[in-house]
């Protein structure tokens, strides 16, 4: 089964911006694909500075949070840095309730995330 | 439990332990909430709770066993939505789930589903040795 592209990847200088394409990151298969595609940025491409852009994301489940936590660990283990940006208020609440806003470096906009990265 | 008496719409269904079937039921319930004109915020929280509750029943309860089913009952009125999800797994004690927000657990990639349901729903209750989850959301008062 071929996995469809779940993230759009662009480069700004030496920073990689990975933007989610799904409005709902709920479905188990989608989450598995997103996980593999995110991890490949670190493990296969060797990218060090990564920004995850949530502009289009309207729903996010705890399983998706799990993938983000694993991604954060992988980036840190490789000596890189991860930032999250453009998270709408409903979704930010999910991060706040689970206290993951303390774990992740979250910025309001992509510009903010790029600044001083 | 006279569920049918208290709601304008009521349905119950048994689904196999497949996440795609779970998604379909989730959409059906959200569709009913839209029909009853619940707010986007109420729908956001309920969708999240349904996702967590149904996935937990399929994955952790029934362990994806194709021989086991998940029984879902849903009642809805203009005032509230109630969903009862029962799996056929070994059951569990919700107290045993470690606090995912404790510093030592913050980096663990699991254990946040129940916490999100508690935060977004008005009632969440595990009964029947942890096999049955009841979640309820009352219509939010307009701001």
């Amino acid at each position: 089964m071929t996995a469809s592209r779940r993230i759009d990847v662009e480069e700004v200088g030496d920073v990689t911006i990975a933007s989610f394409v799904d409005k709902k990151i709920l479905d188990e298969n989608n989450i598995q694909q997103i996980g593999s595609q995110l991890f490949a940025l670190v493990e296969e491409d060797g990218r060090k500075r990564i920004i995850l852009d949530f502009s289009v994301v309207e729903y996010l489940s705890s399983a998706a949070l799990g993938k983000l936590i694993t991604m954060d660990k992988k980036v840190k283990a490789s000596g890189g840095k991860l930032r999250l940006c453009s998270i709408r208020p409903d979704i930010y609440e999910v991060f706040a309730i689970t206290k993951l806003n303390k774990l992740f470096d979250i910025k309001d906009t992509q510009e903010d995330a790029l600044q001083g990265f | 439990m006279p569920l049918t008496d208290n709601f304008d719409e009521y349905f119950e269904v048994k689904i196999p332990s497949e996440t795609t079937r779970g998604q379909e039921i989730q959409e059906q319930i959200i569709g009913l909430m839209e029909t009853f004109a619940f707010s986007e915020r109420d729908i956001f929280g309920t969708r999240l709770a349904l996702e967590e509750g149904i996935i937990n029943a399929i994955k952790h309860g029934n362990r994806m066993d194709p021989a086991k089913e998940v029984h879902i009952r849903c009642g809805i009125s203009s005032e509230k939505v109630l969903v009862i999800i029962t799996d056929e797994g070994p059951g569990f004690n919700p107290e045993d789930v470690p606090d995912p927000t404790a510093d030592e657990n913050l980096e663990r990639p699991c254990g946040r589903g129940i916490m999100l349901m508690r935060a977004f729903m008005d009632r969440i209750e595990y009964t029947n040795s942890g096999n049955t989850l009841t979640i309820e959301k009352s219509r939010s008062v307009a701001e």
Side-chain angles (χ1 to χ4, degrees):
Chain A
M1 197 173 68
T2 39
S4 50
R5 196 84 213 148
R6 295 284 168 206
I7 47 171
D8 282 333
V9 178
E10 63 172 313
E11 282 165 20
V12 177
D14 62 350
V15 178
T16 298
I17 300 171
S19 303
F20 294 100
V21 300
D22 295 294
K23 281 187 183 177
K24 296 175 195 158
I25 309 184
L26 295 175
D27 178 76
E28 188 72 10
N29 290 334
N30 282 8
I31 292 172
Q32 289 300 338
Q33 288 176 13
I34 287 169
S36 316
Q37 288 168 22
L38 287 178
F39 303 160
L41 295 175
V42 187
E43 293 171 337
E44 291 169 26
D45 306 348
R47 296 169 197 259
K48 296 282 184 203
R49 292 157 194 262
I50 301 170
I51 294 172
L52 302 183
D53 188 309
F54 286 76
S55 297
V56 304
V57 180
E58 294 174 4
Y59 284 97
L60 190 74
S61 70
S62 68
L65 293 176
K67 291 292 178 199
L68 295 174
I69 293 167
T70 306
M71 176 66 176
D72 191 57
K73 282 186 186 170
K74 286 181 189 289
V75 173
K76 283 176 180 158
S78 76
K81 284 204 288 187
L82 182 74
R83 276 182 179 173
L84 278 48
C85 74
S86 311
I87 298 176
R88 61 187 68 203
D90 279 344
I91 301 283
Y92 186 82
E93 202 181 339
V94 170
F95 282 88
I97 289 164
T98 52
K99 299 214 167 91
L100 290 174
N101 54 342
K102 294 199 301 189
L103 181 74
F104 293 113
D105 186 2
I106 300 176
K107 303 290 180 191
D108 286 346
T109 64
Q110 207 182 92
E111 291 73 38
D112 292 345
L114 279 164
Q115 219 153 45
F117 196 31
Chain B
M1 198 184 314
L3 263 180
T4 42
D5 298 347
N6 300 328
F7 295 96
D8 296 325
E9 293 262 0
Y10 173 83
F11 75 88
E12 59 179 282
V13 62
K14 280 189 176 175
I15 60 164
S17 302
E18 294 168 9
T19 55
T20 46
R21 287 291 288 127
Q23 292 274 332
E24 285 167 25
I25 304 305
Q26 191 190 113
E27 291 303 330
Q28 192 177 342
I29 296 171
I30 294 304
L32 283 171
M33 286 184 82
E34 285 166 351
T35 307
F36 281 86
F38 277 81
S39 68
E40 277 185 27
R41 173 137 186 91
D42 288 346
I43 290 176
F44 176 86
T46 307
R47 186 192 283 279
L48 206 59
L50 286 171
E51 175 67 23
E52 303 294 346
I54 297 173
I55 285 283
N56 278 354
I58 293 173
K59 277 179 69 177
H60 302 302
N62 288 355
R63 312 255 159 101
M64 312 285 285
D65 181 344
K68 289 180 176 164
E69 289 183 313
V70 176
H71 185 189
I72 299 169
R73 289 178 280 171
C74 171
I76 188 165
S77 69
S78 55
E79 294 307 310
K80 66 180 175 185
V81 57
L82 174 84
V83 183
I84 301 171
I85 302 163
T86 302
D87 64 51
E88 298 175 352
F92 81 112
N93 181 357
E95 307 274 308
D96 293 342
V97 178
D99 175 7
T101 63
D103 281 343
E104 66 273 21
N105 296 330
L106 208 52
E107 291 187 32
R108 287 179 52 165
C110 50
R112 291 178 173 81
I114 295 175
M115 166 164 243
L116 288 175
M117 288 194 278
R118 284 218 167 90
F120 284 103
M121 301 304 277
D122 295 311
R123 177 158 77 104
I124 123 155
E125 209 171 78
Y126 276 98
T127 50
N128 182 26
S129 308
N131 285 111
T132 298
L133 166 70
T134 302
I135 51 176
E136 187 177 298
K137 180 80 183 166
S138 296
R139 178 187 295 273
S140 299
V141 180
E143 285 168 22

